[in-house]
Amino acid sequence: MAVFGTLLTIKLEMTATTDPMESLLSNFDQIYEDFKSSIAEIKLLRSNCNGEIKKREALEITCHSLKQENERLTKLYTVSLNNLADQLEYHSKCQIMKEEHKKVNNEHRTKEDELRRAIDSLKEDYSKKIKDLESQISGLLLEKATNEATLDHLRQDLVAHKTHMQTLATRLDQVHFDVESKYNLEIQDLKDCLLLEQEEKNELNKKLQDLEKECMPFSFVCDIFMV
């Protein structure tokens, strides 16, 4: 075992140095000493062969376990590589999505600027229209106030005319009543006069008849004389 270790060391040194022959010459004594000790170790190894076999079996078991662990680690490594590939693909997709998002943001910002300008223009138009409507409303309110004042004045005039008409109607009724009373009195006076005249006429007719009766003999005599 020591020889093998020495050979391994020499091999490593030969690999590390630039001149293998120089390394072999410098280590020759050490090889010889290691060879003698190795013979003693071989004898010892022969007596411990069974133990080594058991160790080999244990190592095989350990190797199998390590193989299984290696397979597990290989699977994990594969999964890790797949994950890394997925991450790289995801990163690439994210980069593409970032660029698309940036492009969409720029387009959105452009549309927002256009929309803002359109809204500002609409605000100006509506502000102008609102001012015009407010001016029209002010004019209409002033006209309404004027019309209401005129309407109140006309109402007052109407009330005054109604009062005057009621007064005239009252006076007309009074005049009509006075005239009717006056005419009734005059008519009654005329009736009384007619009655008096009728009575006088009747008396005159009666007197005339009496005179005719008185004059009839005288008339008869006159007639005779005229014959």
Side-chain angles (χ1 to χ4, degrees):
M1 293 299 291
V3 174
F4 293 146
T6 303
L7 290 173
L8 181 60
T9 304
I10 292 170
K11 186 177 180 179
L12 293 173
E13 289 179 354
M14 289 174 66
T15 304
T17 59
T18 58
D19 192 356
M21 293 301 295
E22 183 181 356
S23 177
L24 285 172
L25 289 173
S26 63
N27 294 310
F28 183 77
D29 292 336
Q30 182 66 37
I31 292 171
Y32 180 74
E33 293 295 329
D34 289 340
F35 181 75
K36 289 192 296 183
S37 61
S38 295
I39 292 173
E41 289 180 358
I42 288 170
K43 291 179 180 181
L44 181 62
L45 287 173
R46 285 178 180 176
S47 63
N48 296 326
C49 183
N50 292 328
E52 291 297 327
I53 290 173
K54 291 181 180 180
K55 289 181 180 181
R56 180 182 176 182
E57 291 176 352
L59 288 174
E60 287 178 353
I61 294 172
T62 304
C63 183
H64 181 71
S65 300
L66 290 173
K67 186 177 180 180
Q68 290 180 347
E69 182 67 18
N70 187 27
E71 290 177 354
R72 187 181 69 81
L73 292 175
T74 302
K75 290 180 180 180
L76 290 174
Y77 179 72
T78 303
V79 173
S80 298
L81 287 177
N82 291 330
N83 291 332
L84 180 61
D86 292 338
Q87 288 179 359
L88 290 174
E89 184 179 1
Y90 176 75
H91 179 73
S92 177
K93 290 181 179 180
C94 285
Q95 190 67 29
I96 295 171
M97 291 180 67
K98 283 181 180 178
E99 293 177 357
E100 292 179 353
H101 181 68
K102 184 177 179 181
K103 182 179 179 181
V104 170
N105 281 336
N106 292 330
E107 293 177 354
H108 182 67
R109 192 175 294 108
T110 302
K111 289 182 180 179
E112 281 184 347
D113 293 336
E114 293 177 355
L115 181 62
R116 189 179 297 107
R117 286 193 294 270
I119 290 173
D120 292 336
S121 178
L122 288 174
K123 283 182 179 179
E124 290 179 358
D125 293 339
Y126 281 119
S127 178
K128 183 178 179 181
K129 289 181 180 180
I130 288 170
K131 287 181 180 178
D132 293 337
L133 290 173
E134 287 177 350
S135 178
Q136 292 179 6
I137 290 170
S138 298
L140 291 173
L141 290 174
L142 180 61
E143 184 179 357
K144 181 183 178 182
T146 304
N147 291 332
E148 286 179 353
T150 305
L151 184 61
D152 291 336
H153 182 69
L154 291 174
R155 284 174 180 171
Q156 292 176 0
D157 290 343
L158 181 62
V159 171
H161 282 96
K162 284 183 178 180
T163 304
H164 184 64
M165 288 177 65
Q166 289 177 357
T167 303
L168 290 177
T170 303
R171 291 177 63 185
L172 181 62
D173 292 336
Q174 185 65 36
V175 169
H176 183 269
F177 178 74
D178 294 338
V179 169
E180 187 176 0
S181 299
K182 181 179 179 181
Y183 285 161
N184 288 330
L185 291 174
E186 290 179 353
I187 290 169
Q188 187 65 37
D189 291 336
L190 290 174
K191 285 181 179 181
D192 293 338
C193 290
L194 287 174
L195 288 173
L196 291 174
E197 289 179 356
Q198 186 67 35
E199 290 178 357
E200 290 178 354
K201 182 179 179 181
N202 292 330
E203 290 179 356
L204 289 174
N205 287 327
K206 185 177 179 181
K207 289 180 179 180
L208 182 60
Q209 289 176 1
D210 292 337
L211 288 173
E212 285 178 353
K213 288 179 180 181
E214 290 178 356
C215 291
M216 281 180 67
F218 180 74
S219 177
F220 180 74
V221 173
C222 287
D223 289 333
I224 293 173
F225 284 135
M226 287 180 68
V227 174

